[in-house]
Amino acid sequence: MSTGLTRVWERLPLKKQAAQSGIRVFSQQQPEIEDEEEFRVLNLRTVKQQFQRRREVRRDPVTPPRTNRMAVDQDWTAAWPAPRSFHPASVPLPLRQGFTERGAAAPSKFANAELMKIPNFLHLTPPAIRQQCEAIKKFCSPWPKGLETEAKWQRHFPVEVITTDYLQSLPTIRNLEARRVTISLKLSDLKFDAHARDKFLRLVGDRYNKDTDTVTFVTDRCPLRKQNYDYAMYLLTACYHESFVTEPWEASKSEADMEVYLFERNQSKIAAEGILNWSAKEGDNKISPPPAYAQCVEQLINEGENEYNLAKYKEEVKKMLNV
Amino acid sequence: MNFLKKLVPQVALAEAQLLSRSSIHTSAVCCRVQSGRYRITTKRNRPLTYEMANPPHFIGHRKSWNSWNTSTLEDGLRPSQTAIEDVFIRKFMTGTWHALVCSEVIIKRQHNTIRIAALIRQAITPRKMYFLIGYTEELLSYWMQCPVTLELQTVGDKNDVIFKYI
Amino acid sequence: MLQALKSLRWAQPLRALSTSTAGTQPIVSPKTPAPEPDKLYSKLEIELRGIDPAVLKSYTWFATTAADHLGIEKGKCWSPRKAHHERMTLLKSVHIYKKHRVQYEVRTHFRYMNFHKLTGSTLDTFLEYIERNLPEGVALQASKTELQQIPEHLRQPPEQV
């Protein structure tokens, strides 16, 4: 079938050529006849000759579109290697683009500005992507084993640093927003004592998220990303080390300044000890109230009196006094 | 010549008035509902390209944008400079390729490069065309301080781009 | 755990490639750079902005296909249903006829992609590749979440303060 078609195609231009050559033979004969019959005019006044032949504009032959010569199984990635505006002579697809009234065909791909406007992905065909990815795969490295889940990688790499890159179509690659650095880590990954933890939370303020137990530092005051990162790490270090400093005036904290009730420094401990050591003599080891009792008293006062806390308090008191 | 001398202060005054009034319309309302819309002629012989046949409110639906950049997007940087540069590029293109540009000049900005696409009439020899391409790219890249590429498509005749007559 | 750390490949000198990323990267000196352990990124979030949603969709398809070929774990890829409209309302006439106005608007379509568990060299390669093929009129914004160990001086409480 295909061979038959090609034969027809070959025949057609041949026929045309033959027809053209016949005409040419005929037209060559004609001027001779005209020359004989031409009548010479007596030119008294030197009037410009009216029958001046118009100069033929010589046009260079326009080559047919490249798509005619393209093989069916050509390497398309070589024909269209890089991003480029659409060119109809290079794309062997019968594309049409444009809105028309009902019934009319959309404008064809030749001299169609709409197709030139829209960004095309002709250089990113699936084979091209595969080919390029295979070429750049040697620069990639696999994710290390043993860090598959989030829990695992958070055990070894608790600090998260978030940075952002911006890419826009501008003559400059700088973007002011790119300087911003966010550092976050879980508070449980840092080692604290009770006083240091309290002070650290006071220092960081609302940068601590109670629900997720994370501390987040966002820095953007320096012009460069590196500087902001260093500054965020400095903040973290400074807060951590500062939280272990105990100022001399902290010892003078009175009971009225306490935010929470502590069993250790309150009257109830002395009272409980008094009851437990009722019959003890001087020099004997003092019996201190059990930690479970201390905890339940703290809970009762800090959380308020509810049914559960009261019941637990009752249990503990009974247990302590061996009732 | 004396009468001219008398006129000098008046002329100066008139000039000052003309200069004080800005001769450029800068308000956005001036190009309001009429821009990009064409009237029907009685003989129905006004040629329109596809771009002209669709009024501006069809941008993004029936026709596409002529300038592709990220400055107009939300939080885009230097929108005014980009717009001015685009106007300049359009003027330069239509002036350099005089009476040859058959469509709108399409300006695409990708990374730091500018790609300019247009439909050009085949009225000059390819040698001249190659010269003009080099000339335009060289001068524009010098002025814009970034690589400029011309991606032209040629049409044989002016009537090839005409979409309809109204 | 030691095995895991050993299996981290050393960073390859890829820095010369990263020209289109905005930011500051340390420049590797030409004379035998000290081997530097590769970075780890738990997440790479890419935000695309553009005027044409179809272009963004094609680009997303390209990026996810490239991630498939490179063996990168894909996360959620989504886009908000409505575009962001920035409207300007002006008088139709020059200065009177207040009831007749004309409205101009610029729409910005968004699209988001997430990729998980990338090493430093993979991330640099992948990001470089997809950034180079970014079509015109699309802005890209890549947020990288880097994983780091706790610095030496924060592991133990300070002995003397």
Side-chain angles (χ1 to χ4, degrees), chain A residues 58-60 62 83-88 97-101 105 107 109-120 123 167-172 174-176, chain B residues 50-51 62-66 68-71 75-78 82 103 106 108-112 115 117-119 122-123 125-126 151-153 155-156 160-161 163:
Chain A
R58 222 190 78 229
R59 282 204 166 182
D60 292 295
V62 179
R84 187 174 187 271
S85 293
F86 180 83
H87 198 282
Q97 168 73 34
F99 173 87
T100 47
E101 297 300 325
K109 62 176 180 174
F110 289 98
N112 193 337
E114 287 306 303
L115 281 171
M116 296 172 79
K117 282 177 191 173
I118 189 82
N120 60 51
H123 58 293
L167 182 63
Q168 289 180 315
S169 59
L170 296 176
T172 170
R174 309 277 166 234
N175 192 317
L176 275 180
Chain B
Y50 184 82
E51 170 83 24
R62 285 190 194 174
K63 69 176 183 182
S64 178
W65 292 263
N66 281 325
W68 289 81
N69 53 50
T70 58
S71 303
D75 300 337
L77 296 180
R78 64 197 291 277
T82 308
S103 70
I106 302 154
K108 301 173 170 186
R109 286 159 191 267
Q110 190 179 23
H111 308 308
N112 65 341
R115 284 155 51 202
L119 288 171
Q122 293 165 353
T125 56
E151 291 166 344
L152 303 176
Q153 182 186 334
V155 291
D160 288 358
V161 294
F163 178 64

Side-chain angles (χ1 to χ4, degrees), chain A residues 207-234:
Chain A
R207 292 177 191 86
Y208 174 68
N209 187 350
K210 209 173 176 183
D211 302 331
T212 52
D213 189 36
T214 49
V215 187
T216 312
F217 289 99
V218 184
T219 49
D220 59 350
R221 60 170 58 184
C222 302
L224 289 184
R225 177 184 294 174
K226 178 81 170 57
Q227 294 168 343
N228 274 318
Y229 171 73
D230 287 346
Y231 178 59
M233 288 316 265
Y234 161 75

